[in-house]
Amino acid sequence: MAAEKKTSTSKTTGSKATNSKTTNSKASGTKSDSKQSSISQQMKDSEFHQFFLDELKDIYWAEKHLAKALPKLQKAATSKELAQAFEKHTQETETHIKTIEKVFELLGEKATAKKCDAMEGLIEEANSVISDTDKGTAVRDAGLILSAQKAEHYEIATYGTLRTFAEKMGHEEVTSLLQQTLDNEKETDVALTEIAVNFVNEEASEE
Ligand code: FE
Ligand code: FE
């Protein structure tokens, strides 16, 4: 993760007159408007806040990349259980993307994505599983589950940390939004384990 350090040097001035968008014209709900105005320019200039934003941009890119990859994994899956799990999580991932956009909005920031090398690599690995295994086999499903769980664990680590950061900074609504996504990623991980145990692993061991 390449840090965007430019803003950290202006810490002492604490005021950028041009950036006083405390009231966002977009309808973001009554609650969020009051939250938004509570984010002071001093907080926005802090390195912790900048680091938090940088990581949000990273997971935003990662989620978008995953949303594009999941339908491909769905198509490649052998069992209908795994295909359905991928289909379900594609929809959930679209929700995660919207949730991050909401978080950016609450912080009074523009939603921007920054390439996440980790997720790119994880999806590459999933593609290798597809090319290295035969269509219609349980071994392929076992490999796809492994790849998907690696991606989920990356997301769990990221959301777990980001929700803690948000809590530390006193962003209550952001904390609960990130917690919701974190919970969903954990549920997905558990669901994938269940599919492996109930439908895939035994068959794979017999192929
Ligand atoms: Fe996600
Ligand atoms: Fe996920």
Side-chain angles (χ1 to χ4, degrees):
M1 194 217 51
E4 286 174 8
K5 280 199 158 244
K6 279 167 269 168
T7 46
S8 62
T9 49
S10 64
K11 214 167 21 176
T12 47
T13 61
S15 63
K16 276 189 214 149
T18 48
N19 200 15
S20 57
K21 295 189 285 184
T22 44
T23 46
N24 202 323
S25 57
K26 267 192 196 158
S28 53
T30 44
K31 253 172 99 187
S32 53
D33 280 354
S34 60
K35 285 270 154 53
Q36 214 168 40
S37 57
S38 72
I39 300 168
S40 67
Q41 192 60 49
Q42 192 185 8
M43 184 182 269
K44 282 191 172 200
D45 285 343
S46 80
E47 270 194 58
F48 194 40
H49 182 82
Q50 288 304 325
F51 183 74
F52 177 67
L53 273 184
D54 239 31
E55 289 297 321
L56 266 182
K57 291 174 187 175
D58 178 280
I59 193 70
Y60 187 44
W61 190 97
E63 291 279 23
K64 285 181 156 193
H65 196 60
L66 187 59
K68 274 189 239 158
L70 280 166
K72 202 176 162 189
L73 305 191
Q74 182 192 334
K75 248 180 102 181
T78 301
S79 68
K80 75 170 191 310
E81 288 80 8
L82 185 57
Q84 279 166 359
F86 285 146
E87 187 179 15
K88 182 169 180 263
H89 203 54
T90 303
Q91 288 158 12
E92 288 164 343
T93 301
E94 294 295 345
T95 305
H96 301 168
I97 292 168
K98 290 198 178 79
T99 302
I100 299 174
E101 287 166 356
K102 175 79 183 159
V103 167
F104 276 115
E105 196 185 314
L106 285 167
L107 297 169
E109 299 282 346
K110 191 169 162 275
T112 37
K114 210 177 88 183
K115 190 180 167 195
C116 170
D117 293 329
M119 187 57 83
E120 186 181 53
L122 290 167
I123 301 297
E124 253 174 58
E125 277 193 21
N127 287 330
S128 302
V129 166
I130 297 171
S131 50
D132 293 349
T133 56
D134 291 326
K135 196 175 172 359
T137 60
V139 170
R140 171 176 286 189
D141 275 8
L144 287 176
I145 290 172
L146 174 60
S147 293
Q149 285 191 301
K150 285 180 182 177
E152 292 313 304
H153 280 244
Y154 177 78
E155 292 184 302
I156 289 167
T158 304
Y159 284 113
T161 302
L162 290 183
R163 74 152 298 289
T164 307
F165 283 4
E167 190 173 43
K168 193 78 205 153
M169 288 186 276
H171 304 319
E172 281 173 44
E173 205 171 344
V174 170
T175 305
S176 91
L177 285 172
L178 294 174
Q179 182 68 53
Q180 274 172 33
T181 305
L182 174 63
D183 292 342
N184 181 253
E185 307 293 15
K186 286 182 179 175
E187 283 161 20
T188 304
D189 181 50
V190 170
L192 287 167
T193 297
E194 280 170 6
I195 293 169
V197 171
N198 296 326
F199 303 102
V200 174
N201 288 352
E202 197 166 320
E203 214 181 302
S205 72
E206 286 162 7
E207 274 174 354

